[in-house]
Amino acid sequence: MNSIKTQWKEKWVNQPSLMLITVVIWSIFIGLCIKAGALLFTFIYSLFNPVVSQNLFEGLNLSALREQNIWYYGGIISIILFVTGQKAYLFYLMIRVFLKINLVHPFSREVSKLISSISYVAFQIGVAVILASGVFKGMVKRGYELDRVQEMVGNGFEFLLMAALLIAIGMVFKRGVEIQDENELTV
């Protein structure tokens, strides 16, 4: 326990900007976890008390959909929960990157693997959101009322762009690890 405190203090002294970013990422991660937990709780509660579906989370009203088809209602909430959970996982991986990175020797295999993992998760989110948007539009055309569901999941193209950018950064880190290893062997 004492060594963790020492590591944190040392990181704050040596790399304060990275640690400040880590704190911001932590707050986003916690917010996404709260959003997912609140949505899951209110969804389960709405199965027993239909009035709750009028305000699931931040004014999301899916009571009309619940009355029309409870299976579609569960499916829509599941999609929103999946996307929110993946976003939280993405920020968790980012926290791990910022805690592992060292500005003295920035290129490490672990950081390279974490950046690759983040790019895969961002790609999954992007594809899931694009597919979900198609499902939402199809349901609206069939007469189902979906309120602000699209706002809850966001835009998938920004996650695809982020994934592409992170794949490139991951390749740079992978090459940086190779060069750093070669330099250590020659010394």
Side-chain angles (χ1 to χ4, degrees):
M1 182 71 166
N2 212 7
S3 65
I4 294 173
K5 282 185 179 180
T6 308
Q7 287 176 347
W8 272 82
K9 285 181 183 179
E10 188 176 307
K11 276 212 174 233
W12 271 105
V13 170
N14 296 332
Q15 303 170 24
S17 58
L18 287 181
M19 292 306 289
L20 187 62
I21 293 169
T22 305
V23 169
V24 171
I25 294 171
W26 263 106
S27 64
I28 295 169
F29 169 70
I30 291 168
L32 286 168
C33 288
I34 290 170
K35 179 180 178 178
L39 190 59
L40 179 63
F41 175 78
T42 55
F43 166 65
I44 292 170
Y45 189 49
S46 73
L47 294 176
F48 302 105
N49 186 358
V51 175
V52 176
S53 64
Q54 292 176 359
N55 187 7
L56 286 167
F57 184 78
E58 293 181 349
L60 179 64
N61 182 357
L62 292 179
S63 59
L65 179 63
R66 187 188 183 288
E67 289 174 14
Q68 289 174 308
N69 190 326
I70 197 157
W71 293 106
Y72 285 165
Y73 172 72
I76 293 296
I77 298 295
S78 297
I79 290 170
I80 295 171
L81 282 171
F82 173 77
V83 170
T84 304
Q86 286 294 91
K87 286 178 183 179
Y89 182 61
L90 180 110
F91 279 93
Y92 169 74
L93 291 174
M94 288 174 64
I95 290 167
R96 289 186 54 201
V97 166
F98 279 94
L99 290 177
K100 293 292 180 189
I101 201 162
N102 182 353
L103 293 180
V104 177
H105 296 289
F107 300 107
S108 69
R109 293 196 192 289
E110 188 171 2
V111 171
S112 178
K113 288 179 184 178
L114 285 170
I115 290 173
S116 295
S117 296
I118 292 171
S119 67
Y120 297 138
V121 172
F123 181 75
Q124 289 173 357
I125 294 169
V127 169
V129 169
I130 290 170
L131 292 174
S133 296
V135 169
F136 299 157
K137 287 176 185 174
M139 288 181 68
V140 168
K141 283 182 182 177
R142 284 192 253 141
Y144 293 101
E145 188 178 326
L146 295 183
D147 193 33
R148 302 174 321 131
V149 172
Q150 186 63 43
E151 293 175 24
M152 293 294 285
V153 293
N155 187 359
F157 292 108
E158 56 200 26
F159 283 98
L160 291 179
L161 179 63
M162 185 168 91
L165 181 65
L166 286 170
I167 287 171
I169 292 171
M171 286 185 211
V172 169
F173 260 80
K174 186 176 180 182
R175 181 65 182 134
V177 168
E178 292 170 0
I179 291 171
Q180 192 168 294
D181 287 347
E182 288 174 7
N183 284 343
E184 288 176 5
L185 289 176
T186 57
V187 172

